[in-house]
Amino acid sequence: MKATYSTINDQNANFINSASKNLTSMPDFVPNSTTYLLLCGNYLQVVPAWSFQKLKKLRRLDLSNNLLRVIERGAFGGLVNLTYLNLKTNKLTSNSLHTNIFQDLISLQYLAIYDNLFHDRYTFLQAEISKVRSLDTLGIDFRGRDQIDKCFCNLSKLQELQIWGMTGQTYSDNTFHNLKCLEIETLSLDSVISLAPDTFISLTMLKTIRIKIMKRLATYDIISSIFSAFKVFKGKNMTEISITNNPHRNGFLLGHKHFTVLQKICLRKLNLMGDSILGIQFKPFLRYGHEENCLEELNINLMFDNRDSYVFAFCAFEHLKIIRIPHVIVRDSRVRGKRSTENDVSYTFCLPETLEQLDFHTNVKSYNRRRIANLTILNGSNLKVVNLANVTFRDCDGTINGAENLEYFDMSGFNCNVLGVNLLSHFPKLITLIAQDAYLGIGLNALQNASKFLMMNLDLQHIDLVKNNLKYLPDGFFLHPFRHQLSIILDRNNFQSLPNFPSEPNFIKLISLKYNRFSCLSEDEMATLNIINPSSIFLCGNPIECSCNTLRFLKWVHHSGFISDIDEIECVSQNGTLVILSQFLKNLKTFEISCQSKLWITLVSCISAFTILALIFGIVYYRYRFAFEYFFLRMKMKLRHYQPLSEEFIHDAFISYSHKDMTWVKILYEIAFKRFQLCLSKDFKVGKLLRLHVEAINSRRCICITEEA
């Protein structure tokens, strides 16, 4: 069991994480200083008596998602400082609990005990819970035939109630009638199939309602029944209304009957995510905006986006700060699209003056035929966050004006085959740029002055260019005086070498190059990283090579400490197997010695082979030296383009011989004289010096006869 230290409420907390460890019994040893004990996701069946008696400082205990069937008497004894207890999703029944089971938890503020097996004796369970008078948040199971007991009036500090309806629940005023005595501000209802119009009439202090519909059993008019139940809040101030999980079969248009209810409530946050909304009717939505309302945050998950005229009603809202309208499905044949504006070159988009966040992303690419061109945002001076992921414009050759204070921009999924150098130039305060799968590999390669693409975004701190088919980045792409260290994410591209980062100390904080094509880093690349000195580099998913050829790189990885995911990197060893890099580096010294041995063996082998070949050549040359000399002379003649003399010779051959061989030379002369004109010493003139008989040896060839050895 491992203890880690974290911060909770600005205080150091000894956090013991034993979640999902396949435990079947309570751990034997837990430090007495523990303040947060996580035991969820195991196979615990019993909480023995006095299991935590030594943990006087324990404040949070999570036993959820186990198989608990029994909690023995005194199990929570000694936990006087415990403020959080989670027992949800177990096998607890009323027989699992003893009277006064929670009596020692005098500081408990949060208790979750829902999704268990309390099929009967709800009165006993509620009575035991009602004794924990310090509770401010409670999560319990509930059945339609039951009513929350009056004993809950003892929970005078209770502000949030979470109810889990096991098999689908129809709620009415009868459910909550006994809670008039409490000032509950937050109510969460799970597995709702229908609401009666008077459901919330007894909860006069409610400010936040969160409703999760049970898809399988929900009635066809579930949304109508929910909005009818909201009519009791007419004229009240509400913090949040949230409805989620409406089934597709109950898809609806958000229109007049819904906005009529909402416009009579001073509501700050409306959340309708995952409710199968087919669209928003423009006129009712516009009317809702013009009427006095308090709406600051709007979260609506649309099924289709063809009819998007509702966006032109945003200007009518005076207090709206956050708009999140992501789309689930991009097109629907049932809804006709409006006339294409694909040839528009400039257009204007109006937003509320107070808007800070705008989210129009879709889960799949929408293939919008509209160009970015010159887009002007009216009232965008307070806009900080824009998420347009997968709202795919026809091209990125344009610019966006009017959002000069934008700090976060997500353009993932854009079709940037055609890219304009000024696309981001009007976002001088941009901090985070997300551009995944935006075809920037093509766009940047074709863009002239691509080095100026980020020239005006000097406040950038986080750049995400994942999956853009990038093989390299343009020269000077990051060569700008950025004011902060950069975190650069270049995962799932085609880099084989390090991008040309500026060699400046502390220029980059983090570099992620996962799932590219690196086998190693070169000497120059390692030297560059040593200068930049990033805090983290990620390389997992690359075909890293662990061989003698990459020994210098492996030594650099081992000693530099830059690679943060060393335990996740698989490298290819010399025998072709995959090994975890961190395990391989543990034996790096041994591997280095083996590489040096192989180097010496190779060197000695080469020298030996060269020596043997030289020796063999010397012997052959000596044995056939005259043939070699003759061959070299012939080659020399050819290279010098030797031409025979054109003079006429008196003799065909001159014979030089020893007087001892006179006898047989005469015989040779008599035989050869018949065909050739030969010259012997007998042909010399008498009395003339021998060295002066040049004309006597004016012959085509010279035959030298030597004595036999």
Side-chain angles (χ1 to χ4, degrees):
M1 185 157 34
K2 185 178 180 181
T4 58
Y5 290 86
S6 61
T7 300
I8 298 177
N9 296 329
D10 298 326
Q11 298 179 2
N12 289 332
N14 193 351
F15 173 36
I16 304 299
N17 185 356
S18 294
S20 303
K21 301 294 185 182
N22 297 324
L23 299 178
T24 57
S25 61
M26 288 294 173
D28 295 329
F29 174 74
V30 178
N32 293 342
S33 60
T34 301
T35 57
Y36 188 177
L37 179 56
L38 195 62
L39 294 171
C40 60
N42 288 292
Y43 298 98
L44 304 176
Q45 298 188 44
V46 179
V47 181
W50 304 103
S51 295
F52 313 104
Q53 60 178 332
K54 295 182 180 180
L55 305 179
K56 303 296 184 181
K57 297 182 179 180
L58 192 65
R59 299 204 311 270
R60 297 172 65 90
L61 175 60
D62 192 339
L63 291 164
S64 62
N65 295 89
N66 277 279
L67 302 175
L68 292 179
R69 297 179 183 274
V70 176
I71 299 178
E72 294 184 357
R73 189 185 303 275
F76 302 124
L79 297 179
V80 293
N81 291 310
L82 193 72
T83 60
Y84 176 99
L85 176 60
N86 193 342
L87 296 170
K88 72 172 186 176
T89 317
N90 279 286
K91 306 293 184 182
L92 296 175
T93 66
S94 297
N95 295 325
S96 304
L97 307 178
H98 295 277
T99 304
N100 297 324
I101 189 66
F102 302 119
Q103 67 177 357
D104 294 311
L105 306 179
I106 58 176
S107 301
L108 192 64
Q109 298 175 13
Y110 178 97
L111 173 62
I113 197 169
Y114 57 84
D115 194 18
N116 278 281
L117 303 177
F118 295 105
H119 298 307
D120 53 7
R121 297 184 66 195
Y122 270 92
T123 304
F124 170 76
L125 173 63
Q126 294 182 38
E128 291 303 313
I129 293 174
S130 68
K131 297 175 183 178
V132 189
R133 301 196 176 190
S134 57
L135 279 181
D136 63 26
T137 302
L138 173 63
I140 58 172
D141 290 330
F142 193 73
R143 300 287 172 176
R145 65 178 181 273
D146 296 295
Q147 184 183 46
I148 295 179
D149 198 89
K150 289 182 179 181
C151 62
F152 271 19
C153 288
N154 294 329
L155 304 176
S156 57
K157 297 181 180 180
L158 191 65
Q159 293 187 341
E160 181 173 351
L161 181 61
Q162 304 168 1
I163 296 181
W164 179 279
M166 293 295 292
T167 57
Q169 190 70 46
T170 299
Y171 295 92
S172 67
D173 179 52
N174 181 63
T175 309
F176 306 109
H177 184 71
N178 290 328
L179 296 182
K180 285 183 177 182
C181 54
L182 298 178
E183 296 182 355
I184 295 176
E185 295 184 356
T186 301
L187 177 65
S188 299
L189 303 178
D190 194 280
S191 302
V192 176
I193 61 174
S194 182
L195 291 183
D198 62 351
T199 299
F200 306 114
I201 199 168
S202 296
L203 302 173
T204 56
M205 302 301 294
L206 270 185
K207 295 185 181 300
T208 298
I209 300 177
R210 301 186 182 103
I211 298 173
K212 184 177 180 181
I213 299 170
M214 189 173 192
K215 286 186 175 182
R216 183 171 58 89
L217 299 177
T219 59
Y220 75 94
D221 61 344
I222 177 66
I223 295 296
S224 296
S225 72
I226 291 174
F227 274 86
S228 294
F230 290 160
K231 291 180 181 180
V232 299
F233 301 118
K234 179 180 178 180
K236 293 186 178 181
N237 295 328
M238 299 286 291
T239 302
E240 177 185 350
I241 289 179
S242 176
I243 307 171
T244 61
N245 219 37
N246 184 47
H248 293 333
R249 68 177 185 275
N250 289 346
F252 66 101
L253 285 172
L254 193 62
H256 174 72
K257 62 182 180 180
H258 308 106
F259 292 119
T260 299
V261 174
L262 294 174
Q263 69 187 16
K264 296 177 181 179
I265 305 172
C266 184
L267 178 64
R268 295 177 60 186
K269 177 180 178 180
L270 176 62
N271 180 30
L272 300 176
M273 301 294 283
D275 282 331
S276 304
I277 299 176
L278 304 179
I280 302 175
Q281 293 179 346
F282 174 72
K283 289 184 178 180
F285 187 51
L286 180 64
R287 191 180 303 114
Y288 176 45
H290 280 304
E291 294 287 338
E292 183 66 27
N293 68 78
C294 308
L295 195 64
E296 296 180 2
E297 181 175 344
L298 176 63
N299 301 319
I300 299 178
N301 196 186
L302 293 182
M303 292 288 292
F304 312 110
D305 70 345
N306 288 57
R307 288 186 176 274
D308 57 2
S309 58
Y310 63 87
V311 299
F312 298 103
F314 288 151
C315 275
F317 291 84
E318 296 181 356
H319 308 289
L320 205 53
K321 295 181 180 180
I322 300 173
I323 298 176
R324 295 191 184 98
I325 308 184
H327 300 83
V328 179
I329 302 173
V330 179
R331 291 187 177 92
D332 179 28
S333 59
R334 297 176 295 177
V335 184
R336 294 183 181 180
K338 65 179 182 179
R339 185 167 56 90
S340 173
T341 56
E342 60 183 86
N343 295 319
D344 290 351
V345 293
S346 96
Y347 45 95
T348 302
F349 186 67
C350 183
L351 295 175
E353 293 182 0
T354 54
L355 194 68
E356 298 176 0
Q357 297 182 31
L358 178 64
D359 183 354
F360 273 166
H361 83 275
T362 67
N363 295 329
V364 293
K365 291 186 177 182
S366 62
Y367 298 103
N368 195 326
R369 294 183 62 82
R370 187 190 296 270
R371 299 176 56 199
I372 287 184
N374 297 313
L375 172 62
T376 300
I377 299 176
L378 298 180
N379 303 328
S381 59
N382 289 315
L383 196 60
K384 305 291 185 183
V385 176
V386 172
N387 185 354
L388 297 177
N390 292 322
V391 181
T392 308
F393 293 92
R394 192 175 65 179
D395 61 49
C396 300
D397 188 11
T399 186
I400 303 175
N401 301 284
E404 60 275 7
N405 294 312
L406 192 69
E407 297 179 355
Y408 178 101
F409 184 49
D410 191 340
M411 52 179 282
S412 300
F414 277 29
N415 185 10
C416 290
N417 286 313
V418 179
L419 181 63
V421 71
N422 295 316
L423 179 65
L424 308 176
S425 61
H426 294 285
F427 303 152
K429 297 184 179 180
L430 191 65
I431 296 175
T432 300
L433 173 63
I434 311 295
Q436 299 184 7
D437 194 19
Y439 298 98
L440 289 177
I442 299 174
L444 288 173
N445 186 41
L447 179 63
Q448 293 182 349
N449 299 322
S451 61
K452 298 181 179 180
F453 187 68
L454 301 177
M455 184 174 63
M456 302 303 295
N457 311 116
L458 301 183
D459 281 334
L460 273 172
Q461 297 181 36
H462 183 90
I463 302 173
D464 187 340
L465 303 179
V466 170
K467 199 178 178 182
N468 275 286
N469 198 28
L470 291 165
K471 296 180 180 179
Y472 59 88
L473 289 174
D475 292 336
F477 188 73
F478 291 113
L479 195 59
H480 304 295
F482 294 106
R483 299 185 183 97
H484 307 277
Q485 283 186 303
L486 295 178
S487 295
I488 302 173
I489 314 299
L490 297 170
D491 300 346
R492 299 186 184 278
N493 282 291
N494 292 315
F495 289 104
Q496 295 182 358
S497 59
L498 193 71
N500 49 345
F501 298 129
S503 298
E504 299 178 12
N506 301 316
F507 175 73
I508 297 175
K509 179 180 180 181
L510 179 148
I511 304 172
S512 183
L513 292 163
K514 297 179 182 179
Y515 299 98
N516 278 276
R517 298 186 178 182
F518 289 91
S519 59
C520 67
L521 296 178
S522 67
E523 292 282 351
D524 291 340
E525 291 168 346
M526 289 185 283
T528 299
L529 291 174
N530 288 335
I531 296 172
I532 295 174
N533 193 28
S535 60
S536 298
I537 301 174
F538 297 90
L539 288 175
C540 77
N542 285 282
I544 300 297
E545 181 181 341
C546 290
S547 67
C548 295
N549 296 330
T550 61
L551 182 59
R552 289 190 177 182
F553 166 68
L554 296 173
K555 292 172 68 176
W556 177 83
V557 170
H558 186 56
H559 296 295
S560 68
F562 289 149
I563 310 301
S564 298
D565 57 348
I566 194 170
D567 293 326
E568 301 174 23
I569 297 175
E570 291 184 333
C571 67
V572 183
S573 63
Q574 293 195 139
N575 59 9
T577 59
L578 292 176
V579 294
I580 300 298
L581 184 57
S582 59
Q583 299 297 322
F584 183 87
L585 294 180
K586 290 180 179 179
N587 301 313
L588 183 61
K589 194 65 179 179
T590 304
F591 180 73
E592 183 179 1
I593 294 172
S594 69
C595 285
Q596 292 174 350
S597 301
K598 292 176 183 177
L599 178 63
W600 280 108
I601 291 172
T602 303
L603 184 62
V604 170
S605 299
C606 291
I607 293 173
S608 300
F610 178 78
T611 303
I612 293 172
L613 289 174
L615 184 62
I616 293 173
F617 179 77
I619 295 172
V620 172
Y621 181 81
Y622 182 79
R623 176 69 179 81
Y624 299 100
R625 61 187 181 280
F626 299 114
F628 279 111
E629 290 178 3
Y630 176 74
F631 172 76
F632 292 144
L633 288 172
R634 295 286 296 178
M635 292 298 296
K636 193 173 183 180
M637 288 173 57
K638 290 183 179 181
L639 291 173
R640 293 185 177 183
H641 304 290
Y642 170 77
Q643 297 290 337
L645 297 175
S646 59
E647 301 177 9
E648 293 183 0
F649 297 96
I650 300 173
H651 307 289
D652 290 317
F654 168 72
I655 300 176
S656 175
Y657 58 92
S658 173
H659 67 279
K660 296 179 182 180
D661 300 321
M662 176 63 76
T663 304
W664 74 269
V665 169
K666 286 183 178 181
I667 297 173
L668 174 65
Y669 177 82
E670 292 174 355
I671 295 173
F673 187 75
K674 298 179 182 179
R675 296 185 58 188
F676 301 102
Q677 185 67 33
L678 302 177
C679 176
L680 299 175
S681 57
K682 70 179 183 64
D683 298 320
F684 294 170
K685 292 181 181 181
V686 179
K688 192 174 182 179
L689 293 175
L690 184 63
R691 60 186 175 81
L692 298 177
H693 288 86
V694 177
E695 67 279 1
I697 59 173
N698 187 10
S699 307
R700 296 181 185 279
R701 300 286 187 270
C702 181
I703 301 174
C704 297
I705 299 174
T706 61
E707 262 186 277
E708 184 176 0

